[in-house]
Amino acid sequence: MAAVRNPVEIGLVVYPGVQEAAVLGLTDLFQLANRLAAERSPDALRLRVSHWQLEDASRTVIRTFDSESGDSEPSAGNEPAMVILPPTLGDPIAREAAAPYAGWLRACHATGATLGSVCAGAFVLAESGLLSGRVATTHWAYRDALAIRFPDILLDAGKLVIDDGDIITAGGYMAWTDLGLKLVDRVLGPTVMMDTARFMLVDPPGREQRFYSPFAPRLNHRDEAILKVQHWLQARGARDVTLATMAEHAGLEERTFLRRFRNATGLKPTEYCQHLRVGKAREMLEATTRSIDQIAWDVGYDDPGSFRKVFARITGLVPGDYRRRFGLERAALPGGGS
């Protein structure tokens, strides 16, 4: 008779402002994975799901729910093997509120726990100092706030999930499904992960946040000359512009303009214009039935092939695939190929 293996505990942190739907959704996802794994093999490894919360009296983080006991009797004990910081629907957690969790997260990590965050849960994780010098992601709407508060993080908000071994970060609100499935894959294997994804009717991990995030230019940099050019580019859709005309509009010498533009916006002028044009193209692909060649021309590209390459580099999808995923018309459209 095979020996019974101890379950792998995944702890969900219920911090102030946490999205409770994600906490409950992850709980259900892991318990569903257990059931599907058991259907394939009665001796399959099992996931133990727990919730962890700050106890006001002791100011320590304790287990407040345990799927193994089936009740919500608070208990202390060994740290979980994996810890997830779910998203929040509000503002990122304040530093003071996150501080008690930071020490606990460091202790979990020191015992070998894998840590994960979703969306603004990255702010809680970052307070531990464990993201310093590490590659991480968060929801695109929180990108600048996280970068300002923790400038030593190597932030890549274009990715929906970044698996950096002992630390996994995920982007958007619903990316808890991606993170959850990734952990199922690690513990129970790819077959059970795919079974779980199919049962839940969600895509398995592999999406990218840039499929969904619109271009959000930096406008609060206080460089009035560059802001003037940004407004001018927005008004004309970045069509028929050159470095010389942009510098002239800013009233700056070209080299000075290049340096100040990149410092203010984080992009070269050419890259910035490409993002504006692709943003307009995304709107047309979503809301019209114009051919992709026509859209390329409308947003300022004489060569549709060049447009397709730029669009794919920025969004992660070729125009035809983008239209099929996000367009109002799901059926094949004239000129809607890749």
Side-chain angles (χ1 to χ4, degrees):
M1 181 177 178
V4 176
R5 292 180 287 177
N6 291 329
V8 175
E9 182 176 358
I10 301 180
L12 310 177
V13 184
V14 186
Y15 61 88
V18 73
Q19 185 185 1
E20 293 185 12
V23 175
L24 298 177
L26 281 163
T27 302
D28 288 344
L29 185 153
F30 294 134
Q31 293 185 332
L32 170 64
N34 278 340
R35 179 167 66 81
L36 295 174
E39 289 176 358
R40 285 188 171 272
S41 172
D43 300 323
L45 188 60
R46 194 172 70 256
L47 296 174
R48 174 184 179 186
V49 189
S50 57
H51 299 174
W52 294 76
Q53 199 163 357
L54 186 68
E55 185 180 50
D56 291 334
S58 65
R59 303 300 291 171
T60 58
V61 180
I62 62 171
R63 189 186 286 107
T64 57
F65 167 80
D66 187 348
S67 64
E68 290 297 286
S69 64
D71 59 34
S72 301
E73 186 66 29
S75 66
N78 296 329
E79 287 79 6
M82 298 177 172
V83 177
I84 298 178
L85 296 146
T88 177
L89 289 174
D91 293 332
I93 192 170
R95 305 199 85 144
E96 316 80 67
Y101 295 95
W104 181 74
L105 289 169
R106 286 193 295 271
C108 291
H109 189 257
T111 61
T114 298
L115 306 182
S117 68
V118 183
C119 190
F123 286 82
V124 189
L125 180 54
E127 287 292 345
S128 70
L130 295 169
L131 287 182
S132 179
R134 302 286 293 266
V135 181
T137 189
T138 188
H139 190 288
W140 58 265
Y142 295 118
R143 175 191 58 208
D144 290 346
L146 188 68
I148 291 169
R149 189 155 145 187
F150 304 99
D152 52 351
I153 297 175
L154 305 178
L155 191 59
D156 184 356
K159 297 287 182 62
L160 193 64
V161 177
I162 293 179
D163 185 345
D164 201 26
D166 56 330
I167 295 179
I168 307 174
T169 53
Y173 289 129
M174 294 302 294
W176 59 263
T177 60
D178 299 82
L179 180 59
L181 289 170
K182 189 164 278 289
L183 295 184
V184 170
D185 188 9
R186 276 197 183 190
V187 180
L188 303 180
T191 301
V192 175
M193 182 275 286
M194 290 301 296
D195 286 348
T196 306
R198 277 193 289 266
F199 193 96
M200 295 182 67
L201 299 180
V202 298
D203 291 335
R207 298 179 295 156
E208 293 190 44
Q209 191 165 188
R210 58 183 174 155
F211 295 175
Y212 308 92
S213 58
F215 178 48
R218 296 181 190 172
L219 301 172
N220 60 348
H221 45 69
R222 300 181 183 275
D223 189 327
E224 293 183 5
I226 300 304
L227 184 60
K228 178 183 176 183
V229 174
Q230 287 179 273
H231 289 322
W232 177 68
L233 290 171
Q234 191 74 48
R236 63 187 296 116
R239 286 178 55 94
D240 303 319
V241 295
T242 64
L243 176 59
T245 58
M246 286 187 278
E248 181 182 358
H249 201 75
L252 298 171
E253 187 269 335
E254 286 188 18
R255 288 182 63 183
T256 303
F257 171 74
L258 272 171
R259 174 177 54 79
R260 285 174 56 175
F261 192 94
R262 186 160 191 175
N263 287 341
T265 68
L267 296 168
K268 297 177 183 177
T270 301
E271 295 170 333
Y272 190 92
C273 291
Q274 289 173 342
H275 276 277
L276 287 179
R277 292 172 183 169
V278 166
K280 186 65 177 176
R282 288 168 76 146
E283 293 175 8
M284 293 181 182
L285 288 166
E286 292 168 11
T288 77
T289 59
R290 293 180 194 171
S291 73
I292 289 172
D293 287 1
Q294 181 62 51
I295 289 173
W297 177 264
D298 289 344
V299 299
Y301 285 91
D302 295 333
D303 179 5
S306 296
F307 164 71
R308 284 172 166 81
K309 290 178 182 177
V310 171
F311 190 96
R313 178 170 53 77
I314 290 176
T315 68
L317 296 168
V318 294
D321 287 346
Y322 186 90
R323 170 170 270 166
R324 281 186 284 274
R325 185 182 286 260
F326 299 109
L328 295 178
E329 296 290 340
R330 303 298 182 185
L333 297 170
S338 302

